[in-house]
Amino acid sequence: MQVTLAIDCMGGDFGPSVTLPAARQFLRDDPYASVLLVGLPEAIEAEASRLAGEFPGRARFVPATQVVEMHEAPASALRAKKDSSMRVAIDQVKSGDAQAAVSAGNTGALMAIARFVLKTINGIDRPAIATILPALDGHTYVLDLGANVDCTAEHLLQFGIMGAMLVSALEHKERPTVGLLNIGEEEIKGNEVVKQAAELLRGSGLNFYGNVEGNDIYKATTDVVVCDGFVGNVALKASEGVAQMMATTLKQELKRNLYTRLVALLAIPALRHFKQRVDHRRYNGAALLGLRGVVFKSHGSADAFAFEQALRRAADAARNQVVDRITARVSAHLAAEGVTQ
Amino acid sequence: MQVTLAIDCMGGDFGPSVTLPAARQFLRDDPYASVLLVGLPEAIEAEASRLAGEFPGRARFVPATQVVEMHEAPASALRAKKDSSMRVAIDQVKSGDAQAAVSAGNTGALMAIARFVLKTINGIDRPAIATILPALDGHTYVLDLGANVDCTAEHLLQFGIMGAMLVSALEHKERPTVGLLNIGEEEIKGNEVVKQAAELLRGSGLNFYGNVEGNDIYKATTDVVVCDGFVGNVALKASEGVAQMMATTLKQELKRNLYTRLVALLAIPALRHFKQRVDHRRYNGAALLGLRGVVFKSHGSADAFAFEQALRRAADAARNQVVDRITARVSAHLAAEGVTQ
C-alpha cells in the first residue's frame, strides 16, 4: 500500500548523515513508500552528494530554514521556529501530503509542535509516548514514556486504549492484552490513582489482564503495559542502565587477558547472536499517540539502522490506520460513558 | 566490636535450610559476632542435626511457636502471630538482647511488626526500605523500594537523610552524595512533589547532587538515590527483568550448538568473573530505615551465600550506629526547622 513519510532530516545527534542513508535504505526495502526529506537545503544536498549510489526516485526535498535544537525549550521551538524542519515535517501530515512524520529531534518540542499542529483526538486529554521493549520471547509496548508526569486514572485508561490500538495496528492482534504497571507489596498494592485505573480498565471492554510488575515488561506478560510518564521514563532509563552495565562488564571480562581475548574471538558467532537479540536499535521508533496524525520519534542517538526501524514502524502504523483505530475506540468509549451517565 | 544479631530462621522460601548454614558461616567469618537463632525448635533442631560440623558457641536458640507466611496480610501477622519467629526476632532488638534483626520473610509483615514493636524515630513520618544496587564502578543505595507509594516532598527529604546516614555508617563516607530520581524531558521535568523535594534537599545541609535519571543508578553517579516507593519498586523490578533476560539470552546462545558449547567451556573463567561482578546475591540485605532499631530484610529467595551478606550488612549497620546517626541528623533538621519557622 502506498504511503508517504515526512522525515525531519535535521533532527537527532547526527542529522542528515544518519537520516538520509536510513531514508534511502527504507525506500529500497519498501517499494510502495515515498519520502519527503525535510531540512536545510544545503545540509541535505551536501549529505546527498556524499552518499554513494542513487537515491530512489520516490524521494522529494522539502526545504525548511530552521532547526530545533536538542535542548531547546519546547515553547520556544513552537513560537520561534515556525519554519523548522520538525514543524514543516509535521505540517506535511496536517496537509495530507504525508501520512506520517518521523523525527529524531527534541522530544518535548516534537510533542508540543505535533499537538499544536495536528490537535488531539476527541476524548483524548493528553497524547502519550509508546515504545517497544524487548522480552525474552517477544516484546512489549509500554506507555507513557515521559509525556505526562501527573496522571489521573482516566488518563491511564486512555493510554490503555491507545496502546491496544497501536498493537492492533502494528501486530494485527484482534484483542491485545493490557497490563497496568503496579508494585507487588501486599499491604500497599499501588497508589490510589492506579487502583482507580484498574477499575476503569476492567470496565473498558479492553482485554485487561490486571496488574503487572516491572519485570513483566521483559517477560512479555501482556502486549501493552500502561503507566504514568514518570514511572515509565524511570523504568526505561533504569533498564537501559542495567543493560549497558552488563554489556560493558561482559566486554571488560572478555578483554581481561590474552586467553580471554582468544576465547572472545572464538565466541564471536554466539556473541553476535546475543547482541542481535538484545539490540535496542531494532526497537527504535516510539509512537506519539492520541494525535490526529501519525508521528514517530526516533532516539536522538540512533544510527542509520535504528532510524530506518523508526521509519518502517511509522509507515506500518500509517498503513494500518492507527489514528482511525484510536478515534473509533475512544468514540465508542465516550458513547458508552454517555449511556451509563 | 561485639554485636548480636537476632535471626528469623523460619523466613524466606527455604527457612532453616538456608538461614542456619548462613548463620554458621557468618559466625565463622566474624569472631566478634553472636547470633540468636529464632524459630520453631523442631525445625531448627532438625536442620542443625543435618548440618555437618559444629556450630560456633556464639549461637543461642530462641524458641517461637508461629511462622508468618510469605503471603500473609501484614495486619494479620501483626495481630494473630505474636509469637512468630519474625516477631520474636524483633522483640530481641527491642529488649536489647540483640542489636539487629534479620529476616527473609514477608516484607509487608516485617515492616508492620518492626514499626509496631520498635516505633519510628522522632521526626520520621514513614520508615523506608533501602537497598544497594550494583554499578559499573561501585554501587548505589536506593530508597524507598516499596514501603511508601504516595510520598510528599518532606518524605523524600527524610529518605535522603536516612539514605545518607546509612551510607555514612556502612561506607564510612563523611558526606555521601544524594541524588533525586527524576526524568529528563525538559518541558516536564518532574512532577510537583519531586520539584518541591529538590528545594527541600537543596536547603537540608545534605550533600545534594541534584536530579538524577534511572540510568544514573547503574553508573553510581551519587551514593544515594531517593525516590518514592512506587517508582523505586518499578525501577528495581524492571532492572531485575532486564538482567534476567540478558543472562538467559546469553545462556541460550552459548548452548545453541556443539561449537558454542565448547566455546562456553573455554569461556568459563571469564563468564565466572562476569557473573561474580553482576551477581545480585552480593547486594542482598535491604535496610528498614527510620526505626528505633536495626532491621534488615533479605530477599525471600536468597541462598545461604546471599543471606550471609544480609547478616554481615546488618552487623555492620548496628556496629556503626546507623540508628543514632539518623536520630541525630533528624533532630538537627527539626531544630533548624524550628529556628527558621
Side-chain angles (χ1 to χ4, degrees), chain A residues 89-311:
Chain A
I90 291 173
D91 285 341
Q92 306 305 306
V93 177
K94 174 73 178 174
S95 68
D97 290 330
Q99 283 78 56
V102 182
S103 174
N106 181 330
T107 312
L110 185 66
M111 181 57 99
I113 293 173
R115 203 171 166 171
F116 177 79
V117 172
L118 298 174
K119 313 297 179 204
T120 49
I121 291 169
N122 265 345
I124 295 293
D125 298 321
R126 300 178 179 187
I129 302 176
T131 199
I132 307 178
L133 291 171
L136 195 56
D137 191 23
H139 52 258
T140 308
Y141 289 74
V142 183
L143 75 168
D144 177 43
L145 262 302
N148 307 283
V149 291
D150 288 305
C151 290
T152 65
E154 172 67 26
H155 294 145
L156 293 174
L157 167 64
Q158 292 173 12
F159 297 169
I161 293 174
M162 296 194 284
M165 293 305 101
L166 181 65
V167 173
S168 80
L170 292 181
E171 312 269 335
H172 313 293
K173 282 194 182 177
E174 201 53 49
R175 283 176 55 69
T177 50
V178 177
L180 180 63
L181 194 56
N182 204 336
I183 64 175
E185 281 313 320
E186 293 71 15
E187 189 186 16
I188 41 166
K189 226 161 202 156
N191 54 29
E192 280 313 309
V193 171
V194 170
K195 282 179 196 162
Q196 289 167 27
E199 285 308 306
L200 292 180
L201 282 160
R202 208 163 280 124
S204 67
L206 291 174
N207 191 359
F208 181 52
Y209 171 91
N211 290 329
V212 294
E213 293 190 63
N215 51 339
D216 286 303
I217 296 171
Y218 300 96
K219 295 199 281 188
T221 305
T222 55
D223 295 309
V224 179
V225 169
V226 169
C227 56
D228 78 43
F230 192 96
V231 170
N233 189 286
V234 167
L236 179 70
K237 296 267 172 69
S239 299
E240 285 174 0
V242 172
Q244 185 79 52
M245 179 188 70
M246 287 183 72
T248 306
T249 306
L250 184 60
K251 260 182 228 156
Q252 286 175 347
E253 289 307 329
L254 289 172
K255 285 184 179 170
R256 185 179 274 267
N257 56 42
L258 194 63
Y259 174 78
T260 59
R261 280 170 195 267
L262 218 72
V263 170
L265 280 180
L266 297 172
I268 283 177
L271 292 174
R272 189 173 292 151
H273 261 123
F274 168 66
K275 210 174 149 184
Q276 273 169 9
R277 284 180 61 189
V278 297
D279 187 356
H280 58 85
R281 297 182 308 157
R282 287 203 294 144
Y283 299 95
N284 187 42
L288 273 56
L289 294 175
L291 302 163
R292 300 183 189 191
V294 178
V295 180
F296 270 69
K297 164 76 173 86
S298 158
H299 207 289
S301 65
D303 62 10
F305 172 80
F307 194 74
E308 192 200 341
Q309 309 313 308
L311 297 178

